[in-house]
Amino acid sequence: MSEASPLHVQQEGGVLVLTVDHPPVNAFTLPLTRALQKALAQAARDRTVRAVLLRGAGRVFSAGQDLTELQAVAGESLRRHLQATYNPLILQLRRLEKPVLAALHGAAAGAALGVALACDLRIAAAGTRFLFGFSGIGLAPDSGMSLFFPLLLGLGRATEFALTNQALTAEQALQWGLVNRLAPPERLEAEALAWAQSLAAGPVQAFGLTKRAFNRALLPHLEAVLDYEAHLQDVAGRSAEHREGLQAFLEKRPPRFVELPEDGAL
Ligand code: T3D
């Protein structure tokens, strides 16, 4: 029997709706990032697609990178992993000359938060938690998080939430500009689709040029930033801190980062 696809793609009028569906927590795997890349390439090509809505099925938007998959490739280069997965995905989201709206609920963590922040707009269900995530498993930020997180939150707040790995609440996310709108959980789906449809009715070429202008003004070095993140993650990925962070997550216990063996090779 073939595995169910982790991404549902359906068109509602001018909106391409991408629904991540990988129970229990929509963790990002290689097949999922590949499916997202393919769907965004389709969105770029297809003139009938005038806006994209990215959302998650089930209890959360996404818990970020699938840590069981990460454990399975332990010892392999995280640079290569990022070059195949999040780096092209983030660039596609920013370069797509059509509006991309993310609808978030439950939780958005780690690399999935990076993906959500690379979208143009965000609407979140009340009660959604926003988790930096990377530091919990001894990693540095990737998926554009080193840029989008401080850009949207401000350096002081971004540093605090990165180093404490505490969750931001939906209200904080709204107040500090991480999301544009909140909706009651039971209204999220309808409000997100209505917003995406109103975007699809807008001047798509002017929207595309607006994205281009914002990218040029604020994100001209995005590709280099992603590449540098991949370099740093390659270092972090070989560390004792990462091994301990990942092991602790899988064993469902708090990590013990003090008194680890030295990483002579770093
Ligand atoms: O190169 C690279 O790709 C590196 C990049 C890494 C970036 C990252 O994304 S690191 C991951 C960052 N994510 C997190 O730190 C979030 C971890 N998860 C959570 O905090 C919680 O699971 C949620 C808040 C997302 C949801 O909470 P809740 O209470 O609804 O669910 P749960 O009970 O915590 O989790 C349900 C199951 O999903 C559980 O497994 P079990 O006990 O049923 O066998 C849990 O272990 C599993 N799970 C949760 N997150 C992940 C995961 N499995 C794989 N990967 C996960 N990220």
Side-chain angles (χ1 to χ4, degrees), residues 198-262:
S198 80
L199 291 165
V204 69
Q205 182 182 325
F207 287 169
L209 295 176
T210 303
K211 274 185 84 161
R212 233 195 259 191
F214 288 171
N215 285 343
R216 177 68 169 260
L218 283 178
L219 310 168
H221 307 301
L222 178 59
E223 199 166 350
V225 167
L226 292 167
D227 192 55
Y228 191 60
E229 287 181 345
H231 162 69
L232 297 180
Q233 208 65 300
D234 217 35
V235 174
R238 286 184 278 115
S239 70
E241 289 183 349
H242 177 53
R243 283 193 297 279
E244 164 60 13
L246 203 48
Q247 200 58 36
F249 176 85
L250 296 170
E251 291 171 6
K252 301 182 193 300
R253 61 168 172 83
R256 292 182 289 266
F257 289 125
V258 288
E259 294 177 20
L260 287 172
E262 275 190 34

Side-chain angles (χ1 to χ4, degrees), residues 25 59 63 65-67 78 81 86 110-111 134 137 142 249 252:
V25 286
R59 66 206 220 204
Q65 168 62 36
D66 188 317
L67 296 178
L78 285 188
H81 175 66
Y86 301 108
F134 298 88
I137 53 163
D142 62 35
F249 176 85
K252 301 182 193 300

Side-chain angles (χ1 to χ4, degrees), residues 11 26 33 41 46 60 71 81 120 156 164 192 208 215 232 251-252:
Q11 194 161 339
N26 292 335
T33 47
D46 187 342
V60 298
Q71 173 77 340
H81 175 66
D120 300 300
T164 61
N215 285 343
L232 297 180
E251 291 171 6
K252 301 182 193 300

Side-chain angles (χ1 to χ4, degrees), residues 7-228:
L7 185 73
H8 304 308
V9 181
Q10 98 200 72
Q11 194 161 339
E12 303 254 359
V15 180
L16 194 70
V17 182
L18 308 181
T19 308
V20 175
D21 188 5
H22 181 219
V25 286
N26 292 335
F28 275 49
T29 55
L30 199 53
L32 173 57
T33 47
R34 288 213 172 115
L36 279 166
Q37 289 166 4
K38 196 171 151 206
L40 289 170
Q42 176 194 336
R45 275 193 312 269
D46 187 342
R47 288 173 59 85
T48 68
V49 172
R50 298 174 59 86
V52 174
L53 171 60
L54 175 64
R55 65 187 185 191
R59 66 206 220 204
V60 298
F61 170 70
S62 171
Q65 168 62 36
D66 188 317
L67 296 178
T68 53
E69 182 184 77
L70 206 58
Q71 173 77 340
V73 298
E76 288 179 26
S77 162
L78 285 188
R79 170 187 270 282
R80 273 203 292 279
H81 175 66
L82 290 168
Q83 283 169 339
T85 55
Y86 301 108
N87 289 11
L89 181 59
I90 299 296
L91 289 172
Q92 268 182 302
L93 285 165
R94 292 304 322 160
R95 288 175 181 164
L96 181 66
E97 297 209 340
K98 300 174 185 185
V100 185
L101 171 65
L104 310 171
H105 72 286
L113 183 54
V115 169
L117 299 189
C119 296
D120 300 300
L121 296 161
R122 282 156 292 283
I123 180 168
T128 305
R129 288 172 295 155
F130 299 83
L131 278 155
F132 181 74
F134 298 88
S135 44
I137 53 163
L139 288 182
D142 62 35
S143 312
M145 278 286 282
S146 68
L147 179 52
F148 299 123
F149 203 51
L151 187 66
L152 292 168
L153 274 189
L155 183 58
R157 289 187 191 117
T159 305
E160 180 181 343
F161 284 95
L163 302 191
T164 61
N165 205 23
Q166 274 176 353
L168 275 93
T169 64
E171 292 70 27
Q172 286 170 321
L174 179 68
Q175 193 183 344
W176 295 337
L178 208 70
V179 301
N180 303 84
R181 296 182 188 177
L182 294 187
E186 68 281 6
R187 296 274 319 139
L188 179 72
E189 197 174 323
E191 290 193 18
L193 188 58
W195 194 6
Q197 272 164 345
S198 80
L199 291 165
V204 69
Q205 182 182 325
F207 287 169
L209 295 176
T210 303
K211 274 185 84 161
R212 233 195 259 191
F214 288 171
N215 285 343
R216 177 68 169 260
L218 283 178
L219 310 168
H221 307 301
L222 178 59
E223 199 166 350
V225 167
L226 292 167
D227 192 55
Y228 191 60

